[in-house]
Amino acid sequence: MAVAHRVYAEALLEAARDAGRVDEVRRELAEFVEAVQASSELRSLLRNPQIEPHVKRDALGAALAEADPLVRNVLQLLAEKGRIGEVEEIQAELERLIARAERVLELELTTAVELSDDEAAKVVGQIEEAAGRKVEATRTVDPELIGGIVIQAGSQRLDASVRGRLDQLRQELTARR
Protein backbone atom coordinates (compact mmCIF):
# COMPACT_ATOMS: atom_id res chain seq x y z
CA MET A 1 0.00 0.00 0.00
CA ALA A 2 1.43 3.32 -1.07
CA VAL A 3 1.35 6.27 1.27
CA ALA A 4 -0.66 8.22 -1.31
CA HIS A 5 -3.42 5.59 -1.23
CA ARG A 6 -3.73 5.99 2.52
CA VAL A 7 -3.68 9.80 2.32
CA TYR A 8 -6.50 9.94 -0.24
CA ALA A 9 -8.53 7.28 1.61
CA GLU A 10 -8.11 9.04 4.98
CA ALA A 11 -9.10 12.41 3.49
CA LEU A 12 -12.18 10.91 1.83
CA LEU A 13 -13.19 9.09 5.00
CA GLU A 14 -12.82 12.24 7.09
CA ALA A 15 -14.88 14.28 4.62
CA ALA A 16 -17.56 11.57 4.49
CA ARG A 17 -17.72 11.45 8.29
CA ASP A 18 -18.02 15.23 8.50
CA ALA A 19 -20.87 15.11 5.99
CA GLY A 20 -22.51 12.11 7.66
CA ARG A 21 -22.37 10.10 4.43
CA VAL A 22 -19.82 7.35 5.06
CA ASP A 23 -22.15 4.56 3.89
CA GLU A 24 -23.14 6.37 0.70
CA VAL A 25 -19.56 7.30 -0.19
CA ARG A 26 -18.35 3.79 0.55
CA ARG A 27 -21.07 2.25 -1.62
CA GLU A 28 -20.68 4.62 -4.56
CA LEU A 29 -16.89 4.35 -4.63
CA ALA A 30 -17.16 0.55 -4.51
CA GLU A 31 -19.65 0.65 -7.40
CA PHE A 32 -17.27 2.81 -9.42
CA VAL A 33 -14.40 0.42 -8.76
CA GLU A 34 -16.62 -2.53 -9.77
CA ALA A 35 -17.38 -0.73 -13.04
CA VAL A 36 -13.66 -0.17 -13.63
CA GLN A 37 -12.91 -3.83 -12.93
CA ALA A 38 -15.73 -4.98 -15.21
CA SER A 39 -14.68 -2.81 -18.14
CA SER A 40 -11.21 -3.24 -19.59
CA GLU A 41 -11.89 -0.21 -21.83
CA LEU A 42 -12.64 2.02 -18.84
CA ARG A 43 -9.60 0.72 -16.95
CA SER A 44 -7.39 1.33 -20.00
CA LEU A 45 -8.80 4.84 -20.41
CA LEU A 46 -8.16 5.74 -16.78
CA ARG A 47 -4.64 4.33 -16.78
CA ASN A 48 -3.61 5.71 -20.18
CA PRO A 49 -0.80 8.22 -19.58
CA GLN A 50 -1.29 9.73 -23.06
CA ILE A 51 -4.68 11.15 -22.10
CA GLU A 52 -4.31 14.48 -20.34
CA PRO A 53 -5.38 14.50 -16.68
CA HIS A 54 -7.81 17.38 -17.24
CA VAL A 55 -9.57 15.40 -19.99
CA LYS A 56 -10.06 12.46 -17.61
CA ARG A 57 -11.25 14.86 -14.89
CA ASP A 58 -13.82 16.50 -17.16
CA ALA A 59 -15.04 13.14 -18.50
CA LEU A 60 -15.50 11.83 -14.95
CA GLY A 61 -17.32 15.00 -13.93
CA ALA A 62 -19.80 14.57 -16.78
CA ALA A 63 -20.21 10.81 -16.30
CA LEU A 64 -20.68 11.14 -12.53
CA ALA A 65 -23.03 14.14 -12.52
CA GLU A 66 -25.57 12.19 -10.41
CA ALA A 67 -22.98 10.69 -8.04
CA ASP A 68 -22.41 11.77 -4.46
CA PRO A 69 -20.45 15.05 -4.64
CA LEU A 70 -17.69 13.69 -2.40
CA VAL A 71 -17.18 10.67 -4.65
CA ARG A 72 -17.32 12.76 -7.82
CA ASN A 73 -14.88 15.31 -6.38
CA VAL A 74 -12.36 12.73 -5.16
CA LEU A 75 -12.44 10.90 -8.50
CA GLN A 76 -11.94 14.16 -10.37
CA LEU A 77 -9.09 15.09 -8.03
CA LEU A 78 -7.47 11.70 -8.58
CA ALA A 79 -7.74 12.22 -12.34
CA GLU A 80 -6.29 15.72 -12.09
CA LYS A 81 -3.36 14.48 -9.99
CA GLY A 82 -2.69 11.55 -12.33
CA ARG A 83 -3.76 8.94 -9.76
CA ILE A 84 -7.14 7.83 -11.11
CA GLY A 85 -5.55 4.58 -12.29
CA GLU A 86 -4.97 3.79 -8.60
CA VAL A 87 -8.63 4.13 -7.58
CA GLU A 88 -8.92 0.39 -6.85
CA GLU A 89 -6.09 0.55 -4.32
CA ILE A 90 -7.49 3.71 -2.75
CA GLN A 91 -10.94 2.12 -2.42
CA ALA A 92 -9.36 -0.97 -0.81
CA GLU A 93 -7.54 1.27 1.67
CA LEU A 94 -10.79 3.11 2.43
CA GLU A 95 -12.41 -0.26 3.21
CA ARG A 96 -9.53 -1.15 5.55
CA LEU A 97 -9.83 2.18 7.36
CA ILE A 98 -13.59 1.79 7.79
CA ALA A 99 -13.18 -1.80 8.99
CA ARG A 100 -10.58 -0.71 11.54
CA ALA A 101 -12.80 2.12 12.75
CA GLU A 102 -15.74 -0.25 13.08
CA ARG A 103 -13.51 -2.82 14.78
CA VAL A 104 -14.28 -5.40 12.09
CA LEU A 105 -12.00 -8.41 12.05
CA GLU A 106 -11.31 -9.53 8.49
CA LEU A 107 -10.22 -13.12 8.13
CA GLU A 108 -9.98 -15.99 5.70
CA LEU A 109 -11.42 -19.41 6.45
CA THR A 110 -9.80 -22.24 4.53
CA THR A 111 -11.36 -25.68 4.70
CA ALA A 112 -10.84 -29.00 2.94
CA VAL A 113 -14.43 -29.01 1.69
CA GLU A 114 -16.89 -26.22 0.93
CA LEU A 115 -18.76 -25.06 4.04
CA SER A 116 -22.49 -24.52 3.78
CA ASP A 117 -23.68 -21.02 4.57
CA ASP A 118 -25.05 -22.27 7.91
CA GLU A 119 -21.75 -23.95 8.84
CA ALA A 120 -19.78 -20.83 7.90
CA ALA A 121 -22.17 -18.62 9.87
CA LYS A 122 -21.73 -20.86 12.91
CA VAL A 123 -17.92 -20.69 12.69
CA VAL A 124 -18.00 -16.91 12.18
CA GLY A 125 -20.40 -16.55 15.12
CA GLN A 126 -18.03 -18.47 17.37
CA ILE A 127 -15.11 -16.30 16.27
CA GLU A 128 -17.14 -13.11 16.83
CA GLU A 129 -18.04 -14.28 20.33
CA ALA A 130 -14.44 -15.14 21.17
CA ALA A 131 -13.00 -11.95 19.65
CA GLY A 132 -15.73 -9.60 20.83
CA ARG A 133 -15.73 -8.01 17.38
CA LYS A 134 -17.72 -8.21 14.17
CA VAL A 135 -16.11 -10.62 11.70
CA GLU A 136 -16.10 -10.48 7.91
CA ALA A 137 -14.83 -13.74 6.48
CA THR A 138 -13.88 -14.90 3.03
CA ARG A 139 -13.94 -18.62 2.38
CA THR A 140 -11.61 -20.77 0.34
CA VAL A 141 -11.28 -24.49 -0.20
CA ASP A 142 -7.97 -26.38 -0.13
CA PRO A 143 -8.48 -30.16 -0.44
CA GLU A 144 -4.86 -30.69 0.65
CA LEU A 145 -5.90 -29.77 4.21
CA ILE A 146 -7.53 -33.24 4.39
CA GLY A 147 -9.89 -31.97 7.12
CA GLY A 148 -10.29 -29.22 9.68
CA ILE A 149 -9.89 -25.49 9.17
CA VAL A 150 -7.22 -22.80 8.83
CA ILE A 151 -8.10 -19.29 10.00
CA GLN A 152 -5.94 -16.41 8.79
CA ALA A 153 -6.42 -12.91 10.24
CA GLY A 154 -3.71 -10.56 9.06
CA SER A 155 -0.40 -12.10 10.09
CA GLN A 156 -2.06 -14.37 12.66
CA ARG A 157 -2.70 -17.94 11.55
CA LEU A 158 -4.55 -20.67 13.41
CA ASP A 159 -4.05 -24.05 11.73
CA ALA A 160 -6.53 -26.64 13.00
CA SER A 161 -6.27 -28.80 9.88
CA VAL A 162 -5.30 -32.44 9.60
CA ARG A 163 -2.42 -31.50 7.30
CA GLY A 164 -1.22 -28.92 9.86
CA ARG A 165 -1.32 -31.49 12.64
CA LEU A 166 0.58 -34.03 10.51
CA ASP A 167 3.22 -31.40 9.71
CA GLN A 168 3.55 -30.60 13.42
CA LEU A 169 3.94 -34.30 14.28
CA ARG A 170 6.57 -34.71 11.55
CA GLN A 171 8.55 -31.78 12.98
CA GLU A 172 8.35 -33.19 16.50
CA LEU A 173 9.54 -36.62 15.37
CA THR A 174 12.46 -35.26 13.37
CA ALA A 175 13.48 -32.95 16.23
CA ARG A 176 13.78 -35.94 18.63
CA ARG A 177 16.45 -37.70 16.65
Side-chain angles (χ1 to χ4, degrees), residues 113-124:
V113 294
E114 184 72 35
L115 293 177
S116 71
D117 290 340
D118 289 340
E119 291 168 328
K122 185 177 179 181
V123 170
V124 167

Side-chain angles (χ1 to χ4, degrees), residues 68-175:
D68 183 286
L70 288 173
V71 174
R72 183 178 57 248
N73 290 345
V74 77
L75 292 174
Q76 287 182 293
L77 178 66
L78 291 171
E80 194 173 297
K81 299 294 184 182
R83 295 206 176 261
I84 190 65
E86 302 168 35
V87 68
E88 295 169 72
E89 294 85 354
I90 292 166
Q91 188 263 339
E93 181 60 23
L94 177 69
E95 289 297 327
R96 280 190 289 276
L97 291 171
I98 291 171
R100 185 179 312 136
E102 294 176 349
R103 293 191 30 87
V104 173
L105 179 61
E106 295 179 7
L107 52 86
E108 183 174 348
L109 303 176
T110 306
T111 54
V113 294
E114 184 72 35
L115 293 177
S116 71
D117 290 340
D118 289 340
E119 291 168 328
K122 185 177 179 181
V123 170
V124 167
Q126 291 172 339
I127 296 169
E128 285 178 336
E129 188 175 317
R133 296 168 64 179
K134 183 178 181 228
V135 171
E136 288 184 7
T138 57
R139 301 184 300 192
T140 57
V141 175
D142 181 0
E144 292 183 13
L145 292 181
I146 304 169
I149 189 168
V150 175
I151 302 170
Q152 181 88 32
S155 62
Q156 298 291 330
R157 181 181 175 95
L158 172 65
D159 189 343
S161 68
V162 173
R163 182 183 68 191
R165 183 66 182 138
L166 290 172
D167 288 344
Q168 184 181 8
L169 286 171
R170 183 180 322 108
Q171 289 176 358
E172 288 175 13
L173 289 171
T174 57

Side-chain angles (χ1 to χ4, degrees), residues 11-56:
L12 179 57
L13 181 56
E14 185 177 332
R17 279 185 183 141
D18 290 347
R21 297 196 316 262
V22 173
D23 291 338
E24 295 89 342
V25 167
R26 179 186 203 180
R27 180 182 44 78
E28 286 192 27
L29 186 60
E31 288 172 358
F32 180 80
V33 167
E34 286 175 19
V36 170
Q37 292 170 338
S39 171
S40 59
E41 295 87 11
L42 179 57
R43 187 171 37 260
S44 295
L45 171 77
L46 296 178
R47 292 185 176 181
N48 187 339
Q50 296 176 332
I51 298 175
E52 294 293 326
H54 72 275
V55 173
K56 293 178 190 177

